[in-house]
């Protein structure tokens, strides 16, 4: 028998490996996505948690290191150790397990964030890259001697600012 601190609502069970990343849909109170170490992504509806995940895909061949929704909540991106970022529909039916687009990188990705206004996303890893969802190549790439950039986030107030977290001491 497990004991949890209140107000514990419930556990979302279903992943076979550890969950590495999660993201909440900004336009929905009940939709989240989770990414596991085995490359699986699951879309959950918190109001229907007893039914399990509403959508599942074996999305990547490596750890899912980052997930981020677009501001309008229509799609989300996933970043992985397999050197790919994939664009997914947030409203895809359970039978649709193919991404809308796949973006290839030179290095494994450690994180991803979606821009607050534009159809852009940023990835972190050996480099920080800025991507447009309509193009297959990165728009810009930034390097400044850090060992690895572990996280990247857009500023919600000043949309042109990008913040990075690195492991360079």
């Amino acid at each position: 028998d497990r004991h949890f601190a209140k107000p514990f609502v419930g556990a979302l069970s279903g992943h076979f490996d550890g969950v590495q990343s999660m993201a909440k849909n900004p336009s929905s109170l009940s939709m989240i996505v989770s990414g596991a170490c085995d490359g699986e992504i699951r879309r959950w509806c918190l109001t229907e948690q007893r039914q399990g995940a509403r959508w599942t895909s074996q999305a990547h061949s490596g750890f899912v290191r980052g997930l981020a929704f677009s501001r309008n909540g229509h799609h989300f991106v996933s970043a992985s150790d397999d050197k790919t970022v994939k664009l997914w529909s947030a409203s895809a039916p359970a039978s649709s397990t193919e991404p809308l687009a796949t973006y290839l990188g030179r290095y494994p990705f450690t994180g991803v964030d979606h821009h607050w206004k534009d159809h852009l996303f940023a990835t972190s890893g050996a480099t920080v890259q800025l991507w447009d969802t309509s193009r297959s190549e990165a728009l810009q790439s930034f390097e400044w001697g850090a060992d690895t950039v572990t996280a990247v986030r857009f500023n919600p107030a000043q949309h042109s600012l990008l913040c990075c977290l690195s492991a360079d001491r």
Side-chain angles (χ1 to χ4, degrees):
D1 192 31
R2 293 184 177 173
H3 298 279
F4 296 101
K6 292 190 179 188
F8 182 77
V9 177
L12 299 174
S13 59
H15 280 289
F16 295 108
D17 209 341
V19 173
Q20 180 72 23
S21 57
M22 294 182 84
K24 185 199 168 301
N25 188 329
S27 66
S28 170
L29 293 175
S30 62
M31 185 191 299
I32 63 169
V33 291
S34 58
C37 298
D38 60 1
E40 183 183 58
I41 296 176
R42 289 180 176 246
R43 187 179 72 214
W44 306 87
C45 179
L46 298 178
T47 58
E48 301 171 8
Q49 65 182 352
R50 300 209 193 289
Q51 297 177 1
R54 296 179 82 189
W55 175 85
T56 301
S57 175
Q58 188 58 45
H60 295 279
S61 61
F63 282 33
V64 179
R65 295 287 184 181
L67 293 163
F69 273 95
S70 63
R71 183 72 176 137
N72 61 14
H74 293 161
H75 61 268
F76 64 93
V77 289
S78 63
S80 174
D81 282 351
D82 65 3
K83 302 178 187 177
T84 63
V85 174
K86 295 184 179 183
L87 179 70
W88 304 91
S89 170
S91 60
S95 60
S96 175
T97 59
E98 293 299 316
L100 299 174
T102 301
Y103 309 93
L104 301 174
R106 293 185 307 167
Y107 307 106
F109 295 107
T110 59
V112 66
D113 194 29
H114 203 286
H115 194 271
W116 286 80
K117 290 173 77 176
D118 299 328
H119 294 286
L120 302 172
F121 63 90
T123 57
S124 59
T127 62
V128 173
Q129 294 179 309
L130 185 64
W131 302 77
D132 186 332
T133 57
S134 64
R135 298 183 60 170
S136 61
E137 298 284 328
L139 296 175
Q140 288 184 319
S141 184
F142 306 98
E143 294 181 56
W144 51 108
D147 290 341
T148 298
V149 179
T150 56
V152 62
R153 293 288 179 266
F154 283 102
N155 187 325
Q158 295 177 321
H159 305 296
S160 60
L161 290 180
L162 186 64
C163 179
C164 303
L165 178 67
S166 68
D168 62 352
R169 298 184 182 228

